[in-house]
Amino acid sequence: MVLESKPIPLYSNVYHIEFAVMVGVVVLLMLYGLLNEKIRDDESQRWLIAALVVLVVCMHILGARTGLVTLYVGGLVMMVQYVKKQRAWLRRAVVTGLLLMLLLSMLPSVQNRVVNTWVDLKTTMRGGDVTHQSFGQRWVAWMSACHVLQSKERIYSGFGVGTDEVMKQAYRQGGVALAERHRIGVHNQWLEGALQCGWIPMLLLLGFGFSVLRRPSGEDRVGGHALWLALAVAMMFESLMERQAGILILLVVFQGLMSEKNGMNSKIKKEYALNDKIK
């Protein structure tokens, strides 16, 4: 299944794409802590780096491509931000990145993913049957959703909870080369949200994420916007917020990145503050 780029069965009920995004988010949070020097002990830093390498390799063997997209987007933005702040690390970062890419390119799973992705894209662009093509199914769903959203009377209000029936009708009208059993969902959180409630709430959600996770003024911290951007891109390939596991991913990211703000804004500055307040 790995060599065929098929989803790996999980013992839990978590969808394999959401599981890959979860692992990608954990890796990015670990990288966030490393680059922002949250771990100061040298031995702990070495263990963290070793864990990062192992998780990245495992993701390329077992993880779905949506999780890899999350990892690439967030990791690249974080590293660019860090190198801009620490220019002495530029050469080291480039060499490390090239060595990691060379290592990953030797994995049979990665090689098969590249071949399968190329076949997927070629089939999609030629208008062939995309029943067994991951990106092809998404492309057909996106085009059908965009066609539906061209309806001016629904662009601001959406269709509510009846989006599945709307999409099935759009599939039939478009005459897509896709088996009936795969004509489900939009596989894009932004388009699915726009179908449900219009474009305005989804644009507000996108802006809310960048606003909440911005760096506090006067700080030179790396990573907040990078994580939200990675999730925003991942949600272009899967409707993460339509399942409980996807909501959990967002909660973990927001809570993990906002914990410092909550700590800094706490009114309890010393161990006796609570007792003083009670008195």
Side-chain angles (χ1 to χ4, degrees):
M1 296 185 73
V2 171
L3 295 180
E4 292 279 339
S5 292
K6 302 296 184 182
I8 306 301
L10 301 175
Y11 287 104
S12 68
N13 292 323
V14 178
Y15 191 42
H16 69 279
I17 293 179
E18 290 164 350
F19 178 76
V21 175
M22 281 183 180
V23 178
V25 164
V26 169
V27 172
L28 291 177
L29 285 172
M30 293 167 67
L31 183 61
Y32 172 84
L34 184 65
L35 296 181
N36 289 291
E37 299 179 351
K38 303 301 179 186
I39 310 296
R40 299 186 181 276
D41 179 66
D42 290 341
E43 184 177 357
S44 298
Q45 285 186 357
R46 287 193 291 270
W47 279 108
L48 181 59
I49 293 172
L52 278 169
V53 173
V54 171
L55 284 174
V56 169
V57 173
C58 289
M59 282 192 68
H60 284 77
I61 297 175
L62 302 174
R65 282 172 287 189
T66 305
L68 294 176
V69 168
T70 307
L71 175 66
Y72 292 155
V73 172
L76 181 61
V77 174
M78 279 191 194
M79 292 306 300
V80 169
Q81 290 177 341
Y82 185 77
V83 169
K84 286 177 64 178
K85 186 176 71 170
Q86 302 283 349
R87 293 190 178 276
W89 279 75
L90 177 59
R91 181 180 299 178
R92 190 178 303 182
V94 171
V95 172
T96 303
L98 291 175
L99 288 175
L100 185 59
M101 290 176 60
L102 179 62
L103 171 65
L104 295 174
S105 66
M106 298 170 63
L107 297 174
S109 176
V110 174
Q111 295 170 2
N112 280 274
R113 285 171 189 272
V114 173
V115 173
N116 293 339
T117 301
W118 171 246
V119 173
D120 193 339
L121 293 173
K122 186 167 60 175
T123 303
T124 304
M125 295 302 105
R126 290 179 176 177
D129 188 347
V130 295
T131 298
H132 302 289
Q133 308 300 335
S134 177
F135 178 77
Q137 293 181 26
R138 283 163 171 75
W139 180 262
V140 168
W142 299 344
M143 293 300 102
S144 300
C146 289
H147 178 74
V148 172
L149 287 170
Q150 290 177 2
S151 174
K152 293 183 179 179
E153 63 271 14
R154 294 287 189 173
I155 193 171
Y156 297 112
S157 61
F159 295 87
V161 295
T163 56
D164 288 340
E165 290 301 321
V166 172
M167 284 297 296
K168 288 180 181 178
Q169 184 178 356
Y171 279 130
R172 287 192 294 268
Q173 292 177 349
V176 297
L178 179 64
E180 187 75 26
R181 66 182 182 276
H182 290 298
R183 297 183 181 185
I184 53 175
V186 186
H187 303 289
N188 184 310
Q189 186 62 65
W190 308 108
L191 288 177
E192 186 151 356
L195 283 172
Q196 292 173 349
C197 53
W199 279 110
I200 294 178
M202 301 313 296
L203 292 175
L204 289 175
L205 174 62
L206 183 64
F208 173 78
F210 284 116
S211 175
V212 169
L213 299 181
R214 70 181 187 276
R215 288 180 297 184
S217 58
E219 288 196 16
D220 196 19
R221 202 166 59 198
V222 171
H225 281 174
L227 261 160
W228 177 240
L229 178 62
L231 281 175
V233 173
M235 286 193 285
M236 293 172 61
F237 293 90
E238 191 59 42
S239 301
L240 294 180
M241 296 175 64
E242 301 305 312
R243 294 185 178 89
Q244 187 176 8
I247 298 295
L248 178 62
I249 294 173
L250 296 180
L251 290 176
V252 168
V253 170
F254 276 80
Q255 183 60 37
L257 295 182
M258 294 182 67
S259 60
E260 291 182 66
K261 293 183 179 180
N262 295 339
M264 289 188 298
N265 295 333
S266 173
K267 294 181 179 180
I268 302 178
K269 302 297 183 181
K270 56 183 181 179
E271 57 181 319
Y272 304 107
L274 184 58
N275 294 329
D276 292 342
K277 188 174 183 179
I278 293 175
K279 292 179 182 179

